[in-house]
Amino acid sequence: MTGDSGQRGRKRSTRTLVRELLDTHGRTFAEEAGIRLRDTPQPLYQLLVLSDLLSARIRSAIAVAAARELFEAGLRNPRHMARASWQTRVDALGRGGYRRYDERTSTQLGEGAELIQRDYGGDLRRLRDEADGDEAALRRSLRKVPGLGPVGADIFLREVQRVWPQVAPCFGDKAMQGARRLDLPEDPEKLVRLAGDADPAALSAALIRVALDKHAAEELLAS
């Protein structure tokens, strides 16, 4: 009896930690960038742009600010992104503080927008449907987008699982690093169960933030 009672107490404690993690850090990067994510072409494309920006070696706050500037400049879909001048994209990235990679990223965004228009008619749902449930195929297609790469594909899938439940649960190595810092299970299914009915995308984003900021983990463990 004592062992069972202690085990239940530990489970409750872990669930409480996960709830506090979500309450404190469970805002997706798409939400932070002002993207109202839905399974429709424009917000899916905006998430792709954000994933591209976040995949560079630059602070996430700067990537989010740069995405906001691009969208406020009207570059919210691949047609507008492709038609914009290279300098227009550079200027928007610069206003967001994304200066170290602005010129290269401007080129990649233009080329990526052209690819998405040409191959998928501007609609990333076609990319998803072509993969037909094969996550490896989906990742390969995402990695064809200039500038995205494996890190960017991971970011996109972690965030898009909110509206593409067929890819959930999706966490990746960086989120697992956050789980280790909090002594949480490094198993997606177990993490989802601990989070109850919480959105896996929000849990993934929260774990990423803990992975990026060890003080965040220390504060959660100390509370």
Side-chain angles (χ1 to χ4, degrees):
M1 290 293 291
T2 303
D4 290 343
S5 175
Q7 188 176 20
R8 285 196 298 271
R10 285 195 296 275
K11 284 183 179 179
R12 284 198 298 273
S13 177
T14 303
R15 288 183 185 276
T16 299
L17 175 60
V18 171
R19 176 50 56 192
E20 290 173 354
L21 168 68
L22 285 162
D23 289 345
T24 307
H25 301 290
R27 188 184 187 200
T28 67
F29 291 97
E31 288 173 326
E32 193 174 337
I35 300 170
R36 296 182 179 179
L37 192 58
R38 299 185 300 278
D39 191 21
T40 54
Q42 183 163 294
L44 290 173
Y45 173 70
Q46 291 174 352
L47 177 59
L48 190 76
V49 169
L50 176 63
S51 300
D52 189 338
L53 300 179
L54 284 166
S55 65
R57 293 182 179 274
I58 199 164
R59 288 193 298 114
S60 60
I62 293 176
V64 167
R68 282 183 169 274
E69 290 293 340
L70 286 165
F71 304 150
E72 288 175 10
L75 311 184
R76 301 184 184 92
N77 60 53
R79 181 168 59 88
H80 289 161
M81 184 70 79
R83 286 184 175 180
S85 70
W86 179 84
Q87 190 62 52
T88 294
R89 296 191 295 265
V90 167
D91 291 344
L93 291 166
R95 289 193 297 273
Y98 204 91
R99 295 186 179 86
R100 184 178 176 186
Y101 304 101
D102 54 352
E103 295 186 356
R104 183 183 69 186
T105 300
S106 174
T107 299
Q108 291 171 343
L109 289 172
E111 293 174 348
E114 291 172 359
L115 180 148
I116 293 160
Q117 284 188 286
R118 181 185 69 243
D119 293 356
Y120 306 108
D123 188 347
L124 288 168
R125 294 175 299 183
R126 295 186 184 180
L127 179 150
R128 175 199 64 200
D129 294 344
E130 284 182 9
D132 194 25
D134 184 339
E135 185 175 323
L138 181 54
R139 288 179 181 275
R140 285 195 298 270
S141 295
L142 287 167
R143 289 174 61 179
K144 291 178 183 178
V145 178
L148 205 61
V151 173
D154 279 350
I155 294 168
F156 181 85
L157 291 174
R158 285 198 306 263
E159 294 272 318
V160 83
Q161 65 184 317
R162 171 169 285 181
V163 295
W164 287 2
Q166 59 268 52
V167 305
C170 183
F171 289 90
D173 292 342
K174 184 61 72 172
M176 291 301 102
Q177 181 183 330
R180 282 195 297 276
R181 281 191 167 172
L182 294 174
D183 198 24
L184 293 173
E186 295 178 49
D187 180 290
E189 297 292 346
K190 290 181 179 179
L191 286 169
V192 167
R193 286 198 295 272
L194 283 170
D197 60 355
D199 176 15
L203 178 56
S204 174
L207 289 170
I208 294 292
R209 289 188 169 91
V210 168
L212 295 173
D213 182 1
K214 66 178 182 179
H215 298 298
E218 291 169 355
E219 289 174 1
L220 282 165
L221 291 171
S223 62

